[in-house]
């Protein structure tokens, strides 16, 4: 059993919930936690990251930073980091688990070292995700890189001096963020040009926000196509506060909208750079009774929902949760411009369509869109595949709360990747789950 009282590996049986009611504090942001921990390691001195996430992604990053020579220990809800500055330990092998952003950020910073290798045991997930655009940019800067067709395992060796470089943002903004973390520690900095159709601008702004929080000077054009970061800078150690997590909270708020009752989620900053903040506007447009009071968001559930058509690129990590709302809305909802969902822990377009159809829903897809036609009743009584994807598990759980009979979801332990307390939080609101242990998968 884990410290949280659940088996190491488990499925979850979701029982229909008559109502959900109560108040929760939003978990810490996954995206800001990883950015702050990395920046803290790149600073010389001690930084306190207040309210850091306890997700598997955060744990994987901490393990890698320790291997590079950082000191890092949990003190209550915080993490205290003693950084290595611009000198990560050379000749180290890092395992970022199944964390794509973590792997890419580390690849960029690895150009400060004389040989860093990144590996993963998740060949079917992170191992298949493309890294070639970032590796190509590092090579153009003078780094020596090795990979298996642009995929992990990857080896990166510096030194590099910096200068002007282009990187594609067509598949992911994480490649640019990786170079942005590296840039201030290079002698010449970086004049970064982003090419292709830029995906997920919000995380780029979160990276710029992180650099500013650590005293790094950077400038960017309004469209983020050019980012200039002078070299010869240092990250400033200090104290940073992790905001509440909008992607995970979006799932809680959707659950609240789907069932009668009243749920309040606190610690959600009104002025926040997380793109998934838009999920609140989407829920309102769908007809949810959602009210904000400062950092408190309250949903009074049970209202009829209606379909929408939205560009989902700005809130990709909330698309799965909002798909649960769409499955219970009248009409056909379409999420457009979401091709990057195919490059996550699973193919969140095709795999989602298949799971919705398994549950008796009508769904469709194109190369870059996902559509679902809502229904008044989800039968349940079947086993759904979580696909080893935390966002898919959230989606299926929300549908199970609304179903007519219990729904079993395989591999539910993968929820720990981003939201370890997801099921416990829903239980506190009145949901009921069973957690049968499973063998390794």
């Amino acid at each position: 059993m884990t410290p949280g009282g659940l088996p190491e590996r488990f499925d979850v049986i979701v029982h229909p919930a008559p109502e959900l009611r109560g108040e929760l504090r939003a978990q810490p942001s996954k995206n800001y936690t990883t950015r702050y921990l990395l920046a803290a390691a790149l600073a010389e001195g001690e930084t306190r990251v207040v309210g850091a996430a306890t997700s598997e992604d955060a744990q994987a990053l901490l393990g890698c930073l320790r291997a590079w020579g950082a000191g890092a220990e949990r003190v209550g809800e915080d993490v205290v980091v003693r950084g290595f500055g611009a000198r990560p330990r050379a000749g180290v092998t890092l395992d970022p688990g199944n964390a794509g952003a973590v792997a890419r950020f580390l690849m960029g910073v690895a150009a400060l070292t004389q040989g860093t290798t990144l590996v993963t045991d998740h060949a079917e997930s992170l191992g298949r995700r493309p890294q070639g655009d970032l590796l190509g940019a590092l090579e153009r800067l003078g780094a020596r890189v090795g990979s298996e067709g642009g995929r992990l395992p990857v080896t990166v060796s510096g030194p590099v001096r910096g200068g002007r470089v282009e990187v594609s943002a067509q598949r992911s903004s994480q490649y640019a963020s990786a170079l942005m973390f590296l840039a201030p520690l290079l002698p010449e900095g970086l004049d970064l040009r982003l090419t292709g159709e830029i995906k997920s601008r919000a995380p780029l702004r979160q990276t710029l926000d992180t650099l500013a929080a650590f005293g790094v000077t950077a400038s960017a054009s309004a469209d983020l196509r050019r980012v200039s970061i002078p070299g010869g800078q240092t990250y400033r150690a200090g104290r940073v506060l992790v905001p509440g997590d909008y992607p995970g909270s979006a799932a809680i708020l959707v659950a609240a909208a789907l069932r009668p009752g009243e749920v309040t989620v606190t610690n959600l900053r009104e002025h926040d750079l997380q793109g998934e903040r838009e999920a609140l506007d989407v829920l309102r447009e769908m007809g949810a009774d959602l009210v904000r009071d400062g950092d408190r968001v309250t949903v009074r559930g049970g209202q009829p929902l209606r379909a929408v058509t939205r560009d989902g690129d700005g809130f990709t990590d909330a698309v799965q949760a909002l798909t649960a709302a769409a499955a219970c809305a009248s009409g056909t909802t379409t999420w457009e411009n979401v091709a990057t969902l195919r490059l996550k822990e699973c193919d969140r377009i095709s795999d989602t369509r298949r799971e919705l159809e398994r549950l008796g829903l009508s769904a469709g897809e194109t190369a870059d869109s996902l559509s679902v036609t809502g229904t008044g009743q989800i039968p349940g009584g079947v086993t759904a595949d979580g696909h080893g994807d935390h966002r898919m598990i959230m989606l299926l759980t929300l549908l199970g709360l609304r179903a007519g009979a219990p729904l079993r979801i395989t591999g539910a332990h993968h929820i720990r990747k981003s939201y370890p307390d997801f099921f416990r939080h829903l239980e506190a609101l009145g949901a009921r789950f069973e957690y049968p242990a499973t063998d390794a998968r």
Side-chain angles (χ1 to χ4, degrees):
M1 302 290 283
T2 66
L6 296 178
E8 184 66 31
R9 296 175 181 272
F10 62 91
D11 292 352
V12 66
I13 298 173
V14 184
H15 290 268
E19 70 169 22
L20 296 175
R21 191 174 298 276
E23 180 172 311
L24 295 173
R25 179 176 175 82
Q27 70 158 1
S29 165
K30 177 174 81 81
N31 286 347
Y32 267 103
T33 293
T34 52
R35 284 165 169 77
Y36 283 174
L37 291 175
L38 177 58
L42 294 172
E44 294 185 0
E46 188 171 280
T47 297
R48 192 177 192 100
V49 181
V50 179
T54 59
S55 62
E56 286 183 345
D57 280 15
Q59 298 305 324
L61 175 58
L62 283 172
C64 292
L65 297 178
R66 291 184 183 112
W68 257 348
E73 61 179 328
R74 285 207 169 264
V75 181
E77 296 182 348
D78 307 343
V79 175
V80 177
V81 179
R82 294 178 300 282
F84 44 66
R87 295 177 298 279
R89 189 175 290 152
V92 169
T93 296
L94 306 179
D95 183 355
N98 198 25
V102 169
R104 288 160 178 168
F105 296 169
L106 295 172
M107 279 179 218
V109 175
L112 296 172
T113 74
Q114 288 292 323
T116 294
T117 299
L118 288 95
V119 300
T120 181
D121 290 332
H122 298 267
E124 77 294 342
S125 185
L126 180 57
R128 69 177 179 82
R129 296 172 72 173
Q131 318 297 344
D133 291 331
L134 172 57
L135 297 177
L138 290 170
E139 278 190 310
R140 290 190 291 276
L141 286 169
R144 289 173 288 119
V145 306
S147 71
E148 297 188 1
R151 289 170 169 77
L152 268 63
V154 163
T155 299
V156 179
S157 290
V160 297
R161 294 195 57 79
R164 179 173 174 173
V165 68
E166 293 185 348
V167 66
S168 173
Q170 183 77 32
R171 290 179 168 180
S172 174
S173 67
Q174 293 167 359
Y175 307 138
S177 284
L179 295 170
M180 289 158 63
F181 280 114
L182 169 67
L185 300 178
L186 299 179
E188 298 176 10
L190 285 181
D191 182 4
L192 185 60
R193 309 296 176 95
L194 276 62
T195 63
E197 181 183 354
I198 298 177
K199 299 296 184 183
S200 304
R201 283 179 164 82
L204 289 171
R205 295 190 176 97
Q206 292 166 35
T207 301
L208 289 166
D209 189 43
T210 299
L211 296 179
F214 282 81
V216 171
T217 297
S219 61
S221 60
D223 62 2
L224 296 178
R225 288 210 169 271
R226 180 172 179 179
V227 179
S228 296
I229 303 177
Q233 301 189 69
T234 58
Y235 284 79
R236 183 181 63 223
R239 181 181 184 276
V240 288
L241 173 63
V242 177
D245 184 72
Y246 269 94
S249 297
I252 300 295
L253 296 172
V254 169
L258 294 181
R259 307 310 301 141
E262 182 173 314
V263 172
T264 296
V265 180
T266 67
N267 192 35
L268 290 175
R269 295 189 312 197
E270 185 169 5
H271 303 291
D272 192 287
L273 295 176
Q274 296 173 67
E276 287 73 20
R277 184 167 61 95
E278 189 178 345
L280 278 61
D281 297 329
V282 177
L283 272 175
R284 282 197 198 96
E285 184 182 345
M286 297 181 82
D289 182 355
L290 184 151
V291 177
R292 176 188 281 282
D293 180 12
D295 72 350
R296 300 168 59 86
V297 178
T298 298
V299 173
R300 298 175 182 89
Q303 300 298 314
L305 301 179
R306 55 183 175 269
V308 297
T309 296
R310 295 285 291 245
D311 184 326
D313 180 60
F315 53 91
T316 52
D317 279 347
V319 165
Q320 306 305 107
L322 289 167
T323 296
C328 302
S330 61
T332 299
T333 292
T334 300
W335 311 120
E336 299 176 332
N337 191 28
V338 291
T340 56
L341 290 179
R342 295 191 182 278
L343 302 174
K344 302 296 185 178
E345 284 78 0
C346 70
D347 182 334
R348 291 184 188 163
I349 294 179
S350 291
D351 291 336
T352 296
R353 175 187 57 75
R354 282 190 285 268
E355 293 309 314
L356 292 173
E357 290 173 346
R358 190 198 302 261
L359 294 173
L361 291 150
S362 176
E365 64 175 282
T366 67
D368 65 351
S369 73
L370 173 67
S371 297
V372 56
T373 301
T375 180
Q377 182 62 55
I378 298 166
V382 299
T383 296
D385 186 348
H387 290 272
D389 188 322
H390 52 127
R391 304 292 179 201
M392 179 74 82
I393 294 161
M394 291 180 196
L395 160 62
L396 295 170
T397 299
L398 303 184
L399 295 178
L401 295 174
R402 175 73 179 256
L407 173 67
R408 184 169 183 144
I409 304 167
T410 63
H413 55 276
H414 290 288
I415 197 70
R416 298 186 183 112
K417 184 177 191 299
S418 69
Y419 199 161
D421 292 327
F422 179 67
F423 296 118
R424 296 308 192 205
H425 279 181
L426 284 171
E427 285 177 331
L429 300 175
R432 185 163 69 92
F433 305 110
E434 297 174 60
Y435 305 99
T438 62
D439 295 330
R441 334 186 140 151

